[in-house]
């Protein structure tokens, strides 16, 4: 299983914000979101890892599930966030979550909801990709648009796991799209729907909060700041 990085930090987004966690970031994602904040976890961006010396920094390694758990154990925290990239597209994630559970880890999986797998986890953090994610006029635009929405997978994940639905919101137009999106699913718990501003600095996030927060109050959703930007700035491994 190709791993980009393993590090500890505080969870900055979602229902478990503030939880000290070990982040295991897998390589590879079928999507190419316009606003992706981890492009280095996309397969084609990783081809130069060795040349760039990323291996020397202890990242960019092909590890077995046992080896990953061995590295996780060294960090001595009870909560693991498996993220990416798209971690659900790595078949070994099933074995990884099973092994982590053998050690009683609490597990969050962060996924775009386009791949299903029989993983074990305590929080399935699904971040469905709206039309605002589609890259403009690139070689990936068409495949991204075709693959970003898999309602049968999102519905199944929501039924089987403790979930949150976390939307990246860029403009006020996205709000209607979110409500249309949600109307296609059964049993959505309004307060598990989180609206997160698309922002890489505090100023933009604060501006967007002025119209996202009232919408959340009106619909029973939760406003979801990206606390890692407030805590650490827009930096990798936070
Ligand atoms: S799904 Fe996540 S990792 Fe993949 S391109 Fe979109 S933001 Fe980046």
């Amino acid at each position: 299983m190709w791993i980009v990085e393993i590090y500890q930090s505080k969870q900055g987004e979602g229902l478990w914000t503030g939880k000290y966690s070990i982040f295991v970031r897998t390589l590879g994602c079928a999507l190419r979101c316009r606003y992706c904040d981890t492009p280095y976890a996309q397969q084609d961006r990783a081809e130069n890892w060795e040349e760039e010396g990323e291996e020397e920094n202890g990242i960019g390694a092909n590890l077995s599930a046992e080896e990953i758990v061995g590295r996780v154990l060294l960090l001595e925290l009870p909560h693991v966030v498996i993220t990416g990239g798209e971690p659900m597209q790595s078949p070994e994630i099933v074995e990884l979550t099973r092994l982590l559970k053998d050690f009683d880890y609490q597990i969050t999986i962060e996924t775009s909801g386009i791949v299903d797998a029989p993983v074990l986890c305590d929080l399935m953090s699904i971040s469905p990709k709206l039309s605002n994610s589609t890259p403009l006029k690139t070689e990936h635009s068409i495949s991204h648009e075709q693959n970003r929405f898999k309602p049968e997978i999102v519905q199944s994940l929501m039924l089987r796991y403790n979930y949150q639905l976390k939307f990246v919101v860029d403009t006020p137009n996205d709000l209607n799209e979110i409500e249309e999106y949600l109307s296609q699913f059964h049993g959505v718990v309004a307060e598990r729907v989180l609206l997160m501003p698309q922002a890489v600095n505090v100023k933009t996030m604060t501006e967007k909060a002025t119209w996202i927060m009232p919408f959340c109050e009106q619909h029973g959703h939760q406003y979801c700041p990206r606390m890692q930007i407030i805590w650490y700035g827009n930096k990798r491994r936070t």
Side-chain angles (χ1 to χ4, degrees), residues 5 40 75 77 82 87 115 121 135 155 176 178 187 194 202 226-227:
E5 53 197 2
Y40 50 88
L75 296 175
L77 285 172
I82 307 178
V115 186
C121 77
Q155 182 76 74
N176 285 340
I178 289 168
L194 313 179
V202 175
R226 303 185 70 203
M227 291 303 296

Side-chain angles (χ1 to χ4, degrees), residues 29 31-33 35-38 42 84-86 112 129:
C29 181
L31 300 182
R32 287 296 181 274
C33 300
Y35 49 69
C36 182
D37 58 355
T38 55
Q42 295 171 0
E86 173 49 72
S112 59
K129 302 309 175 194

